[in-house]
Amino acid sequence: MRRWLAATVVASAAAVLGAGPAAACGGLIGPRGGVNLVKTTTLAGYHDGIEHYVTAFKFLGAGGQFGSIVPLPGVPTKVERGGDWTLQRLVREVQPPVAELADNAVGRVAATSASAQVILTAKVGALDLTVLSGGGTAVGDWAREHGFVLPPDAPEVLDFYATRSPIFMAAVFDGNAAKATGQQLGDGTPIHLTIPTSQPWVPLRILGLGRQAQERIQADVFLLTDRQPSLLPLDGNPGLSLERSESASGSLLADLHNDKSMDWVPTSSMWLSYLKVDSPAGSLTYDLAIDAHGGARPSPWAAGFGADQVALGGGVPGPATPAKDRGWTAALVVLAVIGAGGGLAGLAVATRKR
Amino acid sequence: MLRRCGMALAALALAACGGSAHAGPPVPPVPVPPVTVQLRIHHSHFQPDVLALPSGALVRFVVTNNDPIDHELIVGDDATQNRHEFGTDAHHDAPGEVSVPSGATRTTEVTVRTGFEYACHLPGHYAYGMKGTIRLR
């Protein structure tokens, strides 16, 4: 009998997350693992050279610890509690009328060898957040030494990100502490990271961490930028589609601006992009590069492409198409109920047997 | 009848000689050193993932884990692999079975036979492709 202090694994992206059939909060880990997947939603906003990540970790009621590792495009200058309704408001902005969806929602929630260096730590509710700098191996070592049990694809995925940015955030959610403080099942803990960077990108590949190659990854990604961005991957990528690309409504911006720690959001002249990821995990080998400066040259490097894998020039994912599929509707409902989208991933600290 | 007796005697004579040209006390067999194979683990895959080995040879596997996660090396036939994939063994002290912590180098010896492969059966690792083929020559 092999007992695993199984920690947690997870991955999270600053991208919004997924919904859909696999969206169900569960299952990153196999049988008998007692795994509770933490489902989160993320907004990647970019304004005046600052990238803002807003994501949420959802309390699913289990005891023990859950964890997540999120690659970041730069060193955050601030990690704080996020707004209370930002993520929910974004979901509402892009989904059909709530009344039409309410019934569907019911029951759906169910690189280097040197040591990693801790750049900053923060505690937000029952979340212990640690921002790390180091290569993939160093960050993996740190995670293992701190109780994370990483899936077999973690070494490659961590290296994939570390070659672009050696910055990661490890999040540990203490379920026992949440219970002790009266946190209720389904409560989310939003966090907000402020990251100065000239080249924003949104991690997508991390969404597939720990998944089987054929498992579908479905995610919603919201972007708020000063002007219409150019995005990479290019047109025709079957796993990523641009569903909305429009000037953000005044009501949306006002609602976001008035949320806690969201006063960075201008009340006018912002562009809202809404993308859906729907891809087998094995094919989701890229990230989303954003050129928000009007140069129409999103970086292949920022998207995680090798020089031989992409044509230069950038582009925008396929045009928005009307949502015909009720499956997506359901997916959005899940997000609405959970209040999220987003990055995600996580495993519970559990006892595993083999 | 005489012919049959003659053949039997000849067989006995050969057996008495033990097939050796010299009489005297038996000579203990000279130990054959194991064939040493170096394996590296990187990104949850074995390198190399195909080995060509002499049939029936004793092989010493020296495996180095360069990943930031733990692994194991299990060398054996289908039954052995299945036992580890679906079983509950916690310790690996049998020939051809060894746990390899992150950053460590470990060795194990086993006599390779037809149908052997090598793999890691920590949760999800085999499905991720952490296995190798042994071809006997």
Side-chain angles (χ1 to χ4, degrees), chain A residues 51-150:
Chain A
E51 185 160 359
H52 296 266
Y53 279 178
V54 179
T55 189
F57 293 82
K58 179 176 169 56
F59 177 49
L60 299 177
Q65 292 182 320
F66 304 79
S68 175
I69 294 178
V70 186
L72 302 175
V75 179
T77 56
K78 186 186 294 184
V79 177
E80 60 189 326
R81 186 177 184 88
D84 294 324
W85 60 75
T86 289
L87 299 174
Q88 293 91 329
R89 180 63 182 82
L90 284 164
V91 170
R92 199 175 75 186
E93 183 74 5
V94 298
Q95 72 181 15
V98 172
E100 181 182 324
L101 300 175
D103 290 345
N104 295 335
V106 176
R108 290 303 303 265
V109 183
T112 69
S113 58
S115 298
Q117 298 197 350
V118 175
I119 295 176
L120 66 85
T121 60
K123 187 169 182 64
V124 177
L127 276 175
D128 284 318
L129 306 170
T130 304
V131 177
L132 302 163
S133 175
T137 298
V139 171
D141 286 342
W142 184 95
R144 187 188 69 255
E145 291 163 2
H146 287 76
F148 285 68
V149 173
L150 300 171

Side-chain angles (χ1 to χ4, degrees), chain A residues 21-339:
Chain A
C25 310
L28 235 194
I29 295 229
R32 297 176 296 179
V35 174
N36 284 5
L37 186 61
V38 179
K39 189 169 192 295
T40 63
T41 298
T42 303
L43 158 70
Y46 190 70
H47 176 59
D48 284 347
I50 306 291
E51 185 160 359
H52 296 266
Y53 279 178
V54 179
T55 189
F57 293 82
K58 179 176 169 56
F59 177 49
L60 299 177
Q65 292 182 320
F66 304 79
S68 175
I69 294 178
V70 186
L72 302 175
V75 179
T77 56
K78 186 186 294 184
V79 177
E80 60 189 326
R81 186 177 184 88
D84 294 324
W85 60 75
T86 289
L87 299 174
Q88 293 91 329
R89 180 63 182 82
L90 284 164
V91 170
R92 199 175 75 186
E93 183 74 5
V94 298
Q95 72 181 15
V98 172
E100 181 182 324
L101 300 175
D103 290 345
N104 295 335
V106 176
R108 290 303 303 265
V109 183
T112 69
S113 58
S115 298
Q117 298 197 350
V118 175
I119 295 176
L120 66 85
T121 60
K123 187 169 182 64
V124 177
L127 276 175
D128 284 318
L129 306 170
T130 304
V131 177
L132 302 163
S133 175
T137 298
V139 171
D141 286 342
W142 184 95
R144 187 188 69 255
E145 291 163 2
H146 287 76
F148 285 68
V149 173
L150 300 171
D153 54 338
E156 182 175 358
V157 172
L158 291 175
D159 280 347
F160 171 80
Y161 283 106
T163 56
R164 271 178 291 151
S165 171
I167 310 301
F168 294 82
M169 181 180 73
V172 175
F173 186 89
D174 188 337
N176 294 328
K179 284 182 177 178
T181 58
Q183 197 161 354
Q184 300 298 307
L185 186 70
D187 287 350
T189 302
I191 62 168
H192 176 192
L193 290 85
T194 302
I195 308 170
T197 179
S198 61
Q199 203 158 54
W201 48 266
V202 175
L204 299 179
R205 183 178 178 180
I206 195 80
L207 295 172
L209 183 66
R211 306 292 186 93
Q212 297 294 316
Q214 68 277 13
E215 275 190 80
R216 292 205 79 79
I217 303 300
Q218 294 181 313
D220 292 341
V221 179
F222 294 95
L223 306 175
L224 269 181
T225 49
D226 292 327
R227 56 178 61 84
Q228 182 175 5
S230 296
L231 308 172
L232 191 66
L234 300 170
D235 291 351
N237 188 306
L240 183 65
S241 62
L242 182 63
E243 299 293 317
R244 291 278 194 94
S245 180
E246 61 196 24
S247 181
S249 69
S251 62
L252 171 66
L253 295 177
D255 287 345
L256 299 184
H257 180 85
N258 290 327
D259 200 0
K260 181 179 180 181
S261 75
M262 291 292 287
D263 56 358
W264 63 270
V265 177
T267 53
S268 64
S269 303
M270 291 292 283
W271 195 267
L272 174 66
S273 304
Y274 168 44
L275 301 98
K276 285 182 176 177
V277 175
D278 186 1
S279 171
S283 300
L284 191 58
T285 57
Y286 53 84
D287 290 326
L288 178 64
I290 304 165
D291 182 348
H293 304 289
R297 296 182 65 84
S299 164
W301 172 85
F305 288 113
D308 57 339
Q309 293 178 277
V310 66
L312 296 177
V316 177
T321 53
K324 302 173 183 176
D325 185 350
R326 294 295 294 179
W328 276 111
T329 301
L332 290 171
V333 171
V334 173
L335 289 176
V337 172
I338 292 179

Side-chain angles (χ1 to χ4, degrees), chain A residues 1-2 144 152 156 159 354, chain B residues 43-44 68 84 87-88 92 121:
Chain A
M1 172 182 298
R2 174 172 295 173
R144 187 188 69 255
E156 182 175 358
D159 280 347
R354 249 189 65 205
Chain B
H43 289 172
S44 297
H84 286 278
T88 57
H92 300 309
H121 295 286

Side-chain angles (χ1 to χ4, degrees), chain B residues 2-3 9 27 31 43 58 64 70 87 91 95 120-121 130:
Chain B
L2 284 175
R3 186 179 178 187
L9 287 171
V27 177
H43 289 172
L58 177 63
T64 299
D70 296 341
H91 306 291
C120 174
H121 295 286
M130 198 166 177

Side-chain angles (χ1 to χ4, degrees), chain B residues 79-96:
Chain B
T80 299
Q81 303 299 343
N82 286 334
R83 178 164 53 83
H84 286 278
E85 182 69 14
F86 304 108
T88 57
D89 283 357
H91 306 291
H92 300 309
D93 51 8

